[in-house]
Amino acid sequence: MKIFVCIKQVPDTETKIKLKPDGSGVDFAGVKWVMNPYDEFAVEEAIKTREAGKATNVTVLSVGPKTRIVETLRTAMAMGADDAIAIDAADDLDSISTARALAAAIKAEGEYGMVLTGKLAIDDNAASVGQMVAEFLNIPHATVVSKIELADSATVERETEGGTKEILELKKPMLIAANKGLNMPRYASLPGIMKAKKKPIKELTLDGLGVTATATRVKHVAYQLPAEKPPVKMLDGDFSAQAKTLAQLLRSEAKVL
Amino acid sequence: MSKVLIFAEFSHGQLKKGALELLSAARSAGLHATAVLLGTGAKTTAQQLGAWGVSEALVGDNAGFDQYNPEIFATTVAQAIKDSGADVVLASSTMMARDLFPRVAAKLDTAVVGDCTELSLKGDVTARRPLFSGKCTAGVSFTTSGPKIILMRANQLPVGDAGTASAVALKELPAPTTGGLGTLVKAVVKGTSEKLDLTEANIIVAGGRGLKEAANFKLLNDLADVCGATVGASRAVVDAGWVPHTIQVGQTGKTVAPSLYIAVGISGAIQHLAGMSGSKVIVAINKDANAPIFQKATYGIVGDLFEVVPALTQEFKAIL
């Protein structure tokens, strides 16, 4: 059984975000790129499944500027993925075009048992590509998954609101979007990094996958930095005076009580 | 003028606050919205919509919709959108909606934008949403010729007053499909919390390392009980196993935007700020005057939380 893992390269959480002067987008110069944290759980789960003898091959796929995303694909292969597919595209490709490209690339590879990805990417927070890939592949999906038991089908546990858990059974093949708690992603070992350099990366284009510019459905525009917050109002006095002042301010000034 | 369809979630016969926010927004913009309600009690709940300017509802009053099955819901909702001819679809950005609508959008070859924080329904429908963990925001520009699907984060839009009740015409949606499904809902294990979920809560009291040990979350529970808040936590104490991941606020936890966020013993790592900086009023209580959380706070108290929090609980009791 083959497993596909869809991963995204995103700016590191600690990176400062600068905007282009005309507000048309983000100025990525000097940004440190990392694998989307939720996709690390997906990669780890795929490798663990193969190590448990339940899968034969793990292929990682990514969509984005080719020369940049290969770094993240190499990281996934250094963790243990077998091979990779890089789909060259602009940074700001929308979710539906991204999903069409990923689904077409997976279809072209033939039989598979499972597709894994993260529950969302921390850059655009769309949380959409997984479900869309599942729709285009016509397979069931589950998102925000914190536990997977794989047999003839997959039994998954997903968290919803207020600590409620749903247990779903999904027929193979299925798409699962990982949440934190699914596993502890491993670090790439030095031998792993050396081996990854020799693992194959297949390069594909959007045109080759039949995804054209006319498939775009939404764009982000008019970027803005958040408004400066007024400076914090520090409350003086001993603890009982501080508590009293705070309660009054919350009620009469901020009007939130 | 836009034809708006609102996906209105409800529980125990009551519309959720997120749904009321969207109904209010559509009414203020002078739009006649149609609502979609799925699950047992949909018909009676839909009658409440008349007071919000809705004259037509599409209802699936069927126990087959009581549990969320992504395949069943996606098929039903996509068909309802198509049949209604709506060009704008609004839903609250709940866990269910975020799972469901991307699949619906793929079926309809259209766009969905989740977790929006601003919405304008006058003229061309537009929305804004935070990107890069709230480090910037962007407007959304739809290029789709299909319906524009917008999921709004809770607590971003005002809820007006219910108007005079009026009749709502009901159209019944087809019963859920049961054959040929790849997804089976085996069990739904209800959370123990009676409180509102973090993503819907109007007040959140969150704790971090400063609480020193798990048992001290009781201080926060006491404060939360007095003001009707939901308790949250930083990643550090979730990783330490003090509290479950379901209450983590921040990058790998939940993104919240309550009216009031009280951060107790939380230093304010970037990944925590990413999840709560959209809160309207932020209170920081920390013994370290240099903690980064104070840069995001509206009100700051440098002090011993073990003294300040019980005192605050008493003050809240006195005025609430």
Side-chain angles (χ1 to χ4, degrees):
Chain A
M1 180 185 102
K2 284 177 88 164
I3 299 179
F4 288 98
V5 191
C6 305
I7 65 177
K8 187 174 188 183
Q9 190 181 44
V10 297
D12 185 65
T13 310
E14 308 286 328
T15 294
K16 203 170 150 68
I17 292 295
K18 281 179 297 193
L19 301 185
K20 291 180 185 163
D22 63 357
S24 64
V26 171
D27 176 2
F28 287 122
V31 160
K32 184 185 168 205
W33 296 93
V34 297
M35 191 189 305
N36 177 42
Y38 292 104
D39 298 342
E40 292 183 4
F41 301 119
V43 172
E44 175 63 32
E45 196 66 17
I47 298 167
K48 265 175 57 181
T49 306
R50 190 197 59 206
E51 287 171 347
K54 291 179 181 173
T56 49
N57 190 84
V58 174
T59 302
V60 286
L61 303 90
S62 192
V63 179
K66 186 176 68 184
T67 49
R68 206 186 69 206
I69 61 170
V70 291
E71 293 166 32
T72 293
L73 291 169
R74 293 264 179 231
T75 304
M77 290 192 289
M79 287 170 72
D82 298 288
D83 47 41
I85 298 174
I87 303 169
D88 192 27
D91 257 312
D92 57 353
L93 193 69
D94 72 347
S95 297
I96 200 163
S97 301
T98 304
R100 282 190 192 286
L102 289 166
I106 291 169
K107 255 185 209 164
E109 294 289 305
E111 296 268 304
Y112 61 95
M114 177 160 69
V115 181
L116 288 163
T117 190
K119 74 164 179 183
L120 58 80
I122 61 168
D123 54 356
D124 64 6
N125 185 26
S128 295
V129 169
Q131 298 93 304
M132 288 174 161
V133 168
E135 176 62 27
F136 294 139
L137 292 173
N138 198 22
I139 60 174
H141 81 260
T143 58
V144 201
V145 168
S146 52
K147 194 174 168 190
I148 303 174
E149 276 170 37
L150 194 64
D152 290 337
S153 58
T155 304
V156 305
E157 203 172 285
R158 64 186 301 265
E159 271 169 29
T160 61
E161 270 120 11
T164 296
K165 282 189 173 151
E166 294 176 358
I167 320 287
L168 304 182
E169 190 180 323
L170 306 176
K171 284 188 191 155
K172 267 186 198 164
M174 77 294 284
L175 181 139
I176 297 172
N179 194 16
K180 183 181 173 176
L182 181 61
N183 52 44
M184 283 292 283
R186 69 194 69 191
Y187 289 104
S189 66
L190 192 59
I193 294 168
M194 298 310 289
K195 258 194 233 164
K197 288 183 179 164
K198 292 187 190 127
K199 290 180 179 174
I201 299 181
K202 191 185 280 185
E203 293 183 1
L204 301 177
T205 61
L206 291 178
D207 276 351
L209 293 165
V211 181
T212 60
T214 56
T216 300
R217 296 289 173 262
V218 68
K219 279 188 299 204
H220 283 119
V221 295
Y223 284 68
Q224 285 172 2
L225 294 174
E228 287 284 322
K229 280 211 161 206
V232 56
K233 202 176 261 188
M234 299 303 291
L235 310 182
D236 299 325
D238 69 357
F239 67 89
S240 57
Q242 287 172 322
K244 200 175 204 72
T245 314
L246 179 61
Q248 282 164 357
L249 287 170
L250 291 176
R251 167 142 278 198
S252 54
E253 186 179 82
K255 298 189 170 60
V256 287
L257 278 184
Chain B
M1 196 190 277
S2 304
K3 194 166 175 357
V4 179
L5 191 73
I6 296 176
F7 182 76
E9 287 189 43
F10 62 96
S11 77
H12 306 295
Q14 292 298 316
L15 291 161
K16 289 199 178 178
K17 182 165 176 265
L20 295 178
E21 292 181 26
L22 297 170
L23 291 162
S24 291
R27 189 180 58 180
S28 313
L31 298 170
H32 286 282
T34 302
V36 178
L37 289 86
L38 298 179
T40 305
K43 280 183 190 168
T44 48
T45 310
Q47 291 306 331
Q48 300 167 25
L49 295 165
W52 298 92
V54 171
S55 54
E56 184 190 58
L58 312 174
V59 292
D61 198 332
N62 187 307
F65 293 121
D66 287 351
Q67 289 178 338
Y68 171 63
N69 181 316
E71 279 180 83
I72 292 175
F73 272 60
T75 305
T76 300
V77 172
Q79 194 60 46
I81 294 171
K82 233 189 236 173
D83 293 347
S84 73
D87 47 20
V88 176
V89 177
L90 302 176
S92 188
S93 201
T94 60
M95 299 277 286
M96 188 217 279
R98 294 210 81 185
D99 183 87
L100 168 65
F101 280 98
R103 189 145 195 159
V104 170
K107 279 184 191 289
L108 301 174
D109 188 15
T110 191
V112 55
V113 285
D115 209 25
C116 294
T117 49
E118 289 174 42
L119 172 71
S120 167
L121 294 173
K122 300 205 172 98
D124 270 348
V125 171
T126 56
R128 289 190 71 82
R129 50 194 307 271
L131 298 176
F132 301 98
S133 315
K135 289 178 202 164
C136 67
T137 63
V140 293
S141 168
F142 289 98
T143 50
T144 181
S145 56
K148 300 162 179 153
I149 307 178
I150 299 172
L151 313 182
M152 279 298 294
R153 193 187 277 186
N155 297 325
Q156 303 298 308
L157 301 166
V159 177
D161 296 321
T164 325
S166 66
V168 178
L170 301 183
K171 266 196 202 166
E172 291 198 38
L173 294 168
T177 44
T178 49
L181 291 171
T183 313
L184 175 73
V185 181
K186 291 187 80 177
V188 178
V189 185
K190 283 274 169 216
T192 48
S193 175
E194 297 287 309
K195 300 251 175 86
L196 275 178
D197 189 69
L198 281 171
T199 52
E200 292 175 86
N202 200 35
I203 304 179
I204 292 173
V205 179
R209 277 257 184 238
L211 282 162
K212 296 204 170 103
E213 58 177 307
N216 292 331
F217 261 81
K218 184 178 183 309
L219 290 175
L220 301 194
N221 290 331
D222 292 346
L223 178 61
D225 285 345
V226 175
C227 58
T230 301
V231 172
S234 73
R235 174 174 159 176
V237 300
V238 170
D239 286 350
W242 297 1
V243 288
H245 173 242
T246 46
I247 71 164
Q248 182 184 322
V249 174
Q251 186 126 80
T252 45
K254 290 187 171 150
T255 302
V256 301
S259 298
L260 173 58
Y261 188 92
I262 305 180
V264 179
I266 292 176
S267 62
I270 285 181
Q271 68 86 29
H272 185 77
L273 301 177
M276 46 67 78
S277 56
S279 308
K280 199 170 142 213
V281 173
I282 296 170
V283 171
I285 302 171
N286 205 296
K287 66 177 187 331
D288 176 8
N290 295 318
I293 188 79
F294 286 116
Q295 289 164 22
K296 291 281 171 190
T298 321
Y299 303 114
I301 291 180
V302 177
D304 180 355
L305 69 90
F306 295 99
E307 290 177 336
V308 176
V309 174
L312 196 56
T313 305
Q314 289 310 314
E315 290 297 334
F316 280 8
K317 248 185 209 162
I319 63 166
L320 292 172

